[in-house]
């Protein structure tokens, strides 16, 4: 299984490096004007078989993780729309901007991929992860999507990265996962110490 990660964010490099450490085959898709400023990306750029364009990474991969910034999501969606996505697993790891006209990124992505199955996972981490969790205390992530063999693969990928997967149901619940992320960010911004806060699911 070859995994493609679309986006030049901290979350993209962090998830990719975790998977590479588990001996998984990983490629990265970035925009044409992407500059490798951070050390993680400089190291990845030293390899000739790791960083490609969005379209090339999509073509090479069996599983796609969308980890880009919101301003670059339309370009990713355009690349998805013109690509052959048959039998590919697509996972949205992003969050829409929290505004009065709040719209879930998953909805935009879904319009670009036709009848192909879409899942959501890792969005509770945020695209600045691991900056949002410098001590590595977050141990779980939530995922949703259609019940299928592909959903079991998404669960397995989450476990590869080192998180406990929490099934949040069908893809229609993607809006709830994004709202969950924005709630924790709102709490974090309002606290005087300006630290990141995360939720932990417990059973009682």
């Amino acid at each position: 299984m070859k995994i493609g990660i679309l986006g030049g964010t901290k979350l993209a490099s962090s998830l990719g490096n975790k998977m590479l450490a588990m001996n998984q085959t990983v490629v990265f898709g970035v925009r044409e004007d992407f500059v490798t400023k951070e050390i993680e990306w400089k190291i990845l750029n030293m390899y000739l078989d790791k960083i490609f364009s969005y379209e090339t990474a999509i073509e090479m991969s069996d599983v796609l993780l969308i980890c880009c910034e919101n301003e670059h999501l339309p370009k990713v969606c355009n690349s998805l729309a013109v690509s052959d996505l048959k039998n590919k697993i697509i996972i949205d790891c992003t969050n829409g901007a929290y505004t009065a006209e709040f719209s879930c990124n998953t909805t935009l992505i879904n319009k670009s991929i036709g009848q192909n199955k879409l899942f959501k996972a890792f969005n509770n981490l945020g695209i600045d992860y691991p900056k949002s969790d410098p001590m590595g205390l977050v141990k779980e992530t939530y995922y949703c999507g259609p019940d299928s063999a592909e959903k079991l693969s998404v669960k397995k990928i989450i476990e590869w990265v080192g998180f406990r997967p929490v099934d949040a149901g069908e893809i229609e619940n993607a809006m709830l996962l994004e709202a969950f992320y924005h709630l924790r960010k709102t709490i974090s911004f309002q606290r005087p110490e300006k630290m990141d806060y995360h939720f932990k699911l417990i059973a009682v």
Side-chain angles (χ1 to χ4, degrees), residues 109-149:
I109 296 168
N110 216 6
K111 292 178 181 177
S112 303
I113 65 171
Q115 298 300 313
N116 295 279
K117 292 177 181 175
L118 177 64
F119 301 86
K120 194 170 189 75
F122 300 112
N123 77 295
N124 63 306
L125 304 177
I127 61 170
D128 60 342
Y129 179 88
K131 183 180 178 182
S132 60
D133 180 30
M135 298 182 67
L137 299 178
V138 178
K139 300 299 183 185
E140 62 191 19
T141 190
Y142 315 97
Y143 68 109
C144 65
D147 284 328
S148 57

Side-chain angles (χ1 to χ4, degrees), residues 39-106:
I39 186 64
E40 296 89 349
W41 286 105
K42 288 182 182 294
I43 293 172
L44 288 169
N45 199 37
M46 294 171 61
Y47 299 91
L48 299 178
D49 62 344
K50 290 289 179 283
I51 300 180
F52 301 91
S53 67
Y54 291 143
E55 290 85 355
T56 302
I58 291 170
E59 182 181 353
M60 296 172 66
S61 304
D62 303 306
V63 179
L64 297 166
L65 277 69
I66 302 173
C67 300
C68 65
E69 301 93 336
N70 284 341
E71 60 263 36
H72 302 302
L73 185 59
K75 291 182 180 179
V76 171
C77 288
N78 288 339
S79 297
L80 290 168
V82 299
S83 299
D84 182 4
L85 302 176
K86 185 178 180 180
N87 297 324
K88 294 185 187 293
I89 298 173
I90 304 165
I91 305 173
D92 172 26
C93 307
T94 69
N95 294 286
Y98 185 46
T99 65
E101 295 79 27
F102 172 59
S103 177
C104 180
N105 280 351
T106 309

Side-chain angles (χ1 to χ4, degrees), residues 168-189:
E170 295 289 333
I171 193 61
E172 288 77 14
N173 294 333
M175 178 74 79
L176 298 178
L177 295 190
E178 290 203 16
F180 199 55
Y181 166 83
H182 288 298
L183 177 59
R184 82 158 183 86
K185 293 298 289 186
T186 299
I187 292 171
S188 299
F189 287 144

Side-chain angles (χ1 to χ4, degrees), residues 148-161:
S148 57
E150 291 87 349
K151 192 172 189 179
L152 294 177
S153 295
V154 174
K155 179 181 179 182
K156 184 181 297 184
I157 290 168
I158 293 171
E159 292 171 338
W160 283 345
V161 178

